[in-house]
């Protein structure tokens, strides 16, 4: 059993734990609670100001996961800044 715990931690494992945490937080929250999903906050001033009891940040979920220039496909995690994608596309 201990040998199983010594394996390297992957991004997928971290994301799975984040999803479990978020699920448990929202499952036990009051049904009237409001939740905001927040990225880097670059567009926070647009629209109506959010007044929420809970926030779920995607700021650490960054990085391009797939880039196929010949197929014009880019896939990125939710918190990836557009500047990172712009740099990739400019190469």
């Amino acid at each position: 059993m201990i040998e199983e715990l010594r394996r390297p931690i992957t991004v997928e494992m971290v994301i799975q734990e984040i999803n479990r945490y978020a699920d448990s937080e929202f499952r036990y929250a009051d049904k009237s609670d409001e939740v905001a999903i927040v990225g880097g906050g670059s567009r926070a001033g647009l629209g109506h100001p959010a007044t929420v009891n809970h926030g779920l940040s995607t700021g650490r979920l960054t990085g391009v996961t797939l880039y196929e220039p010949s197929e014009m496909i880019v896939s990125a995690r939710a918190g990836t800044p557009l500047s990172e994608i712009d740099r990739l596309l400019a190469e």
Side-chain angles (χ1 to χ4, degrees), residues 8-18 61-62 65 77:
I9 296 174
T10 65
V11 172
E12 289 78 21
M13 292 167 69
V14 172
I15 291 172
Q16 184 179 19
E17 285 303 310
I18 290 169
L61 300 174
T62 62
T65 58
R77 293 189 177 99

Side-chain angles (χ1 to χ4, degrees), residues 35 50 53 61 79 87 89 91:
V35 176
N53 299 327
L61 300 174
R87 276 194 305 274
L89 296 176
E91 294 177 357

